[in-house]
Amino acid sequence: MTLIETRLRVERCVQAISAPLYEGIASGYAEAEARLGTLTRIEEYPSLTPMVARAGMRNYWLDHGLGLEWRVGGNPRLSVQTTLYNHSEGLELRLLKERSRRYPGGVPVAGSNHARRQVWMGEQLGFEVPGLPAARTHRCLLLWDRLLTEGGDPQLTVRVVHPIGTGVWGNRVPIDMSFEINPGGGMFDTLSFLGDPQLDDFFPNITREDNDEAASDQ
């Protein structure tokens, strides 16, 4: 399968569930804000809101579903690990919060965890080695963040990226695909083709919040 064919396949699969993906993330974050809104010194616990939000997102998809061929997986006892699977299409989406204050480009590095490194070290889309079987499952990251616009209004961003390297602290995690999901569904591609230089900022009119997630997904 060529690069274009593979990217179109991933795009088609994500497009079909773009609305419930965004709704689940928005619902989970709103629930976390409501539950933790009265907690004093909340600024001293930057990892707490993303953790509670991830639980709300997972529960939303378990309760409302994503599509006939999609399943919610991952071990919730490991930092509410959440992965969305479509086995018939060979696609996996691992839920994480972007952390651009710590990682250029926002995509968290894989770190030393062996399971995470296997996910991040996915083959380039459409890349096949002669004599070896093609990858059966494309493992992508479902990334979300809460940003402040230049006017100071909060805004959620959601995107799907495909990493092709584990990343090194202080440098961008290499990716060959990035789709931003819009509120209400629909999305657009922020990388036109493999080999393009990655944009310095996918959201040039938005500034990151001061408080970012400090905990890592296992």
Side-chain angles (χ1 to χ4, degrees):
M1 186 176 293
T2 67
L3 170 62
I4 294 178
E5 290 171 338
T6 304
R7 286 168 61 85
L8 289 175
R9 180 180 180 182
V10 174
E11 180 180 11
R12 172 176 54 81
C13 292
V14 176
Q15 174 72 51
I17 61 169
S18 59
L21 280 181
Y22 194 97
E23 290 168 3
I25 288 175
S27 175
Y29 185 80
E31 181 177 350
E33 275 201 319
R35 290 181 179 275
L36 301 173
T38 60
L39 182 65
T40 59
R41 302 183 183 89
I42 185 64
E43 68 279 357
E44 297 181 13
Y45 313 106
S47 65
L48 189 56
T49 297
M51 188 76 69
V52 176
R54 187 153 58 223
M57 296 167 192
R58 180 185 178 90
N59 285 341
Y60 181 93
W61 293 319
L62 286 171
D63 293 339
H64 296 85
L66 284 162
L68 294 177
E69 297 180 333
W70 286 90
R71 298 292 182 270
V72 179
N75 187 346
R77 291 176 175 81
L78 298 177
S79 300
V80 201
Q81 182 190 86
T82 298
T83 306
L84 309 178
Y85 299 93
N86 186 325
H87 290 293
S88 64
E89 293 286 356
L91 182 60
E92 174 183 308
L93 305 177
R94 188 183 184 109
L95 178 66
L96 286 175
K97 185 182 183 297
E98 293 212 46
R99 301 164 67 185
S100 69
R101 290 190 67 243
R102 301 186 66 188
Y103 304 114
V107 182
V109 300
S112 59
N113 183 278
H114 179 67
R116 282 171 59 111
R117 294 181 69 86
Q118 286 186 316
V119 173
W120 268 244
M121 281 297 295
E123 293 182 356
Q124 294 182 2
L125 293 179
F127 180 77
E128 297 180 11
V129 178
L132 295 179
R136 294 183 178 181
T137 301
H138 295 297
R139 294 179 171 88
C140 299
L141 306 179
L142 174 61
L143 303 176
W144 69 276
D145 204 355
R146 182 182 185 273
L147 310 173
L148 294 179
T149 65
E150 290 183 340
D153 298 322
Q155 176 179 327
L156 283 176
T157 65
V158 181
R159 63 173 175 144
V160 171
V161 306
H162 181 257
I164 53 174
T166 58
V168 178
W169 182 271
N171 297 313
R172 291 176 180 271
V173 171
I175 62 175
D176 62 0
M177 183 193 72
S178 178
F179 294 116
E180 183 184 355
I181 299 176
N182 300 320
M187 61 188 192
F188 65 87
D189 188 354
T190 55
L191 291 178
S192 58
F193 58 86
L194 185 63
D196 267 359
Q198 293 191 36
L199 301 179
D200 288 337
D201 190 349
F202 285 117
F203 310 100
N205 296 320
I206 299 174
T207 59
R208 299 283 176 170
E209 284 189 299
D210 289 336
N211 293 325
D212 205 350
E213 179 184 14
S216 61
D217 174 66
Q218 301 297 321

